Amino acid sequence: MSASARRPDAAQNRTRIVEAARAALAESDHVHLNEIAKRAGVGQGTLYRNFPNREALLAEVYRRDVEELVTAASTLLAEHEPVEALRHWLDRVIDYAEIKRGVLAALEPAAWQDLVTHSHNPIEDALGRLLSAGKAAGSIRADVDAHGVLLLIAYLGRLDREEWESTARPLMNVILDGLSRRDAGR
């Protein structure tokens, strides 16, 4: 059933379930559906009516995060100068990467490989728009592309949960500093 065809309360329940799953993934790679139902304030039947299994729920969390990340690029460019928009977007990437790590740890390899394959191009395109705007404004180096930046960002997936808070944002700042043109302020 499409989101527009759902009753408003059913759509709200689905949203609460996805948000509860996302919050649980931010805390631990081990998420249990009964815990998610409790957090969302719904019964098991409601959870299973929306998501027949754990993989379907985790895939929806991942898809929503990708959609929000991709949509954010245009919104941020409309609200900020290119480098500042990129900085805000990279902050969102850190949040996305944390949830992505949890989703990938909780899913079977075949399921997560399919998710990653379908999300790569939209994310690369969104980053490409941010980089292009920065290049056009003269604030981002001309010799970088979205693919290369994504390779640098991919390291975030290797961080342990214990070092995430202290390491992810400083590493992202190093990446952003490396992308900025040194002569942009002159």
Side-chain angles (χ1 to χ4, degrees):
M1 180 181 287
S2 72
S4 60
R6 282 192 191 94
R7 294 184 340 246
D9 61 326
Q12 290 171 347
N13 285 342
R14 184 177 175 86
T15 297
R16 284 200 324 264
I17 292 167
V18 172
E19 289 171 357
R22 188 178 194 288
L25 283 166
E27 295 169 9
S28 172
D29 295 342
H30 307 289
V31 295
H32 302 285
L33 292 181
N34 60 349
E35 172 64 23
I36 291 169
K38 285 180 189 175
R39 283 181 183 226
V42 302
Q44 293 286 325
T46 299
L47 187 139
Y48 283 105
R49 202 169 24 260
N50 283 279
F51 301 100
N53 55 46
R54 183 174 175 221
E55 288 74 22
L57 173 57
L58 297 178
E60 181 63 17
V61 169
Y62 185 86
R63 278 191 288 274
R64 283 196 186 185
D65 271 14
V66 168
E67 184 179 304
E68 289 173 10
L69 186 62
V70 168
T71 301
S74 297
T75 303
L76 290 167
L77 280 171
E79 297 172 356
H80 303 282
E81 293 297 319
V83 170
E84 198 57 28
L86 181 59
R87 179 179 302 283
H88 287 294
W89 193 80
L90 291 175
D91 278 343
R92 288 176 182 237
V93 167
I94 292 169
D95 296 335
Y96 158 79
E98 184 176 26
I99 297 304
K100 176 183 173 184
R101 184 185 62 230
V103 168
L104 300 186
L107 290 176
E108 295 296 321
W112 68 255
Q113 288 170 349
D114 187 50
L115 283 173
V116 170
T117 298
H118 287 92
S119 67
H120 182 79
N121 287 341
I123 291 172
E124 189 169 323
D125 291 346
L127 177 57
R129 285 192 307 274
L130 289 158
L131 293 173
S132 292
K135 290 175 186 180
S139 55
I140 296 291
R141 294 169 49 150
D143 63 341
V144 298
D145 63 10
H147 180 74
V149 175
L150 286 177
L151 289 174
L152 293 171
I153 292 171
Y155 182 78
L156 292 175
R158 299 182 57 107
L159 295 175
D160 291 331
R161 184 172 287 282
E162 299 77 36
E163 63 184 333
W164 187 263
E165 285 298 317
S166 64
T167 308
R169 290 193 198 287
L171 284 177
M172 199 61 86
N173 286 333
V174 169
I175 292 170
L176 184 61
D177 288 347
L179 294 172
S180 298
R181 285 193 42 190
R182 299 288 176 236
D183 61 349
R186 295 179 197 169

